[in-house]
Amino acid sequence: MTTPPIKRFRMALLGLGVLAASYGSSAFAACSYVITNEWNTGATGEIRITNSTSAALSGWSVNWQYATNRLSGSWNANVSGGNPYTASNLSWNGNLQPGQTASFGFQVNKNGGSAEIPAINGSVCSGNTSSSGPVSSSSVPRSSSSSSLTVSSSSSSLQSCTQQCNWYGTLYPVCVTTTNGWGYENNRSCISRATCTSQPAPFGLSNCGSSSSVIRSSSSSSLPPSSSSITSSSSSRVSSSSSSRVISSSSVVSSSSSIVISSSSSSRTSSSVVPSSSSSSSVTPPVGGVFRVNAQGNLTKDGQALPAQCGNWFGLEGRHEPSNDSTNPSGAPMELYAGNMWWVNDSKGSGRTIDQTMKELKAAGITMLRLPIAPQTLEANNPQGMAPNLKNHPSIRQTNARQALEDFIKLADQNNIQVFIDIHSCSNFVGWRKGRLDARPPYVDKDRVGYDYRREEYSCSATGNPSSVTKIHAYDKAKWLANLKEIAGLPAKLGVTNLVGIDIFNEPWDYTWADWKALSEEAYAAIDSVNPNLLIIVEGISGTANNQDGTPDTKDEVPHGNPDLNPNWGENLYGFADAPLNIPKDRLLLSPHTYGPSVFVQKHHMDPAQTECEGLEGDSAAELDCRIVINPTVLEEGWEEHFGYLRAQGYGILVGEFGGNMDWPNKTSQADRTAWSHITTNVDQQWQIAAVNYFKKKNIHACYWSMNPESADTFGWYLTPWDPVSANDKWGQWTTLDPRKTSLLNSLWGR
């Protein structure tokens, strides 16, 4: 995934405009202001605080003021004020050792002017209050012409190194020269086409096709064109611009000795820096694959509009086997369902392949797929993701679930289908029951009638488990953040450009908004530290959460607006209004989930003419033979206060899951058919039509659940002869696309 400006030339190049920053050797920190992106109406940037002393710095606070610009958001600092502004450190980025740098990000509205670079003041900045960027000035507009950069080389072989660097226009003018150049990518590689050389080196410095290429700034460097070094006039270090890392260096040399970034005022040696990506440093990332949310709240890829005609394809997060399964009783194997189970067609298989299915979906309009996984999917040696537990036909069976994940992403890339990965659970055995990273029993289906798939013996919590727990799949924040980083490194590892982002955790219904907000912001920092090309996809919470004593079965109400309009798991973004996520708006994709009665009968589905049913839901409503009325006006009121209001504010919204069983209560379990046998109209189909009409009205994109039809409460876009009551032996067989759902999705997509 490589377009040079996407990485913002982090690490060694420090945004390029910072190379001439005045990091003096005063007794205090060096404070700088850097523009990282700019468009017609706004800009993003970072303020960096570098400890330029020989003693540790504990805590920092800075302030600044604009002439016309105004802040519209910030992250990784406590920011207050209304121009002037004050920012102070958070708990994790306040302590700086000598040579270390902390940074925080912000977004501004330009208010008709240009992006300004104000002076940065504060007690830690004493002795050095200059700003960094293409221009250093106090509250003056940025001039792109003053930071023009040229590339010179002693070799003409750079002509073969075609660069795709124009995404940011003149913000990084070194990238405007498309036939020459040198760059940094993902901590290690050259920004170029595949014809360029990839040479891992400290800070990821490398060169393209020449042993003596050089970048120099015509406005701030006095280096002659033939020079092979870049020197900061007074800087003693080059720091990372990543908001989640604190690193330092005093001298950086490429492995080919062709590029040197040095200091004229420091002899301190570089501290060791290890790239945070899990992928091999020998991999040259592909060109392209930069995903953003534009000012209108719509998705873009490499600066171009990206249609989000989206569906879910599940399987890699685990399938719960029945307790009497001959091979894997009560197991949870992880594989991609492809409608080609081993017992189909007299054990000959149907012949259906994943590639065939992708091509069919592409022809039907799909441009994007959401791919749920479990943490165990990433473990190539996990026994639940290997034979003999897999039931795909041998002709399409994968070696292991990790290989299936990687092959699926690459195959989607070849079919020009974008993918985003969803961490769907804390364990493949716990599955959808979770609601938090460290979920533990009792789970919501512990008393479900006629249900064979309870998981009361499994827990994702290392402590506080009830006596029913005999198997612990301990999961926590540290493991979760490590998984996010590993996934973020996949584009470079696999050589693909189609990974839109990461849906950081599915349906976190057991958190308060404050708790989930804090976790989401940590997830952004983790993903951004590895791959700033990706979007951070954040779901909502629910209407209840664990109370403070942590007892799983005692819940507190969580604000969600009208108490009569209950949100689904993952739907509640009501708290965002008062406590927005501290994540850049162009990197954030909000992703609520919403479902109709086939998944759960809500109290706002009740027929108001049946007063005895007011406030009832689920089994309680079924016991009184409560009728269901789908009232779009009522539904839209709930959707609007749960998430729709954010669309009007320009936030990107992609509903991660919606859909359902249009034949409900038919094609469900026998228990559900019996409970709701008095419902004889297509209420779930009515609900789905109402949802699509609302999404179209609000210009909200949505991912249909699901493509594959093995989901017992929703079925899928593909039809199947499988029926959990009358044809259970036909599980895993797919036929054609359901024409009712095709019509629904074509309406959503405007086809």
Side-chain angles (χ1 to χ4, degrees), residues 40 96 221 284 487 510 565 620 660:
N40 289 342
L96 300 178
S221 173
T284 300
I487 296 167
D510 211 7
L565 304 175
S620 298

Side-chain angles (χ1 to χ4, degrees), residues 59-70:
W60 47 263
S61 177
V62 297
N63 57 79
W64 70 102
Q65 185 171 1
Y66 299 108
T68 59
N69 292 183
R70 294 295 184 270

Side-chain angles (χ1 to χ4, degrees), residues 18 27 75 91 197 246 256 293 313 330 343 403 409 427 433 439 456 490 503 506 521 551 574 584 600 628 640 726 740:
V18 188
W75 49 96
S91 60
T197 304
V246 180
S256 62
V293 176
W313 188 328
S330 297
W343 60 80
Q403 181 202 349
I409 295 170
S427 165
R433 298 162 186 79
E456 296 301 296
L490 286 176
D503 188 342
N506 184 67
E521 290 165 358
T551 306
Y574 183 84
F600 187 72
I628 294 174
E640 188 67 16
S726 61
R740 299 168 300 175

Side-chain angles (χ1 to χ4, degrees), residues 561-583:
N562 187 337
D564 295 329
L565 304 175
N566 195 47
N568 289 267
W569 287 356
E571 184 177 317
N572 183 12
L573 289 161
Y574 183 84
F576 192 105
D578 293 327
L581 293 172
N582 212 357
I583 297 173

Side-chain angles (χ1 to χ4, degrees), residues 46 131 134 139 160 237 243 323 416 495 576 655 661 673 728 731:
E46 291 179 343
S131 302
S139 297
S160 65
R237 60 203 53 84
S243 59
S323 58
N416 194 27
F576 192 105
V655 173
N661 175 4
R673 294 184 198 203
N728 201 37
W731 189 94

Side-chain angles (χ1 to χ4, degrees), residues 176-193:
V176 173
T177 305
T178 59
T179 57
N180 308 306
W182 166 93
Y184 149 81
E185 169 61 31
N186 207 23
N187 298 351
R188 60 189 179 278
S189 301
C190 165
I191 305 174
S192 64
R193 289 188 184 273

Side-chain angles (χ1 to χ4, degrees), residues 442-451 454 456 553 619:
Y443 298 124
V444 294
D445 55 3
K446 64 183 178 66
D447 298 320
R448 193 165 164 184
V449 177
Y451 194 62
R454 300 179 184 88
E456 296 301 296
D553 214 22
D619 292 343

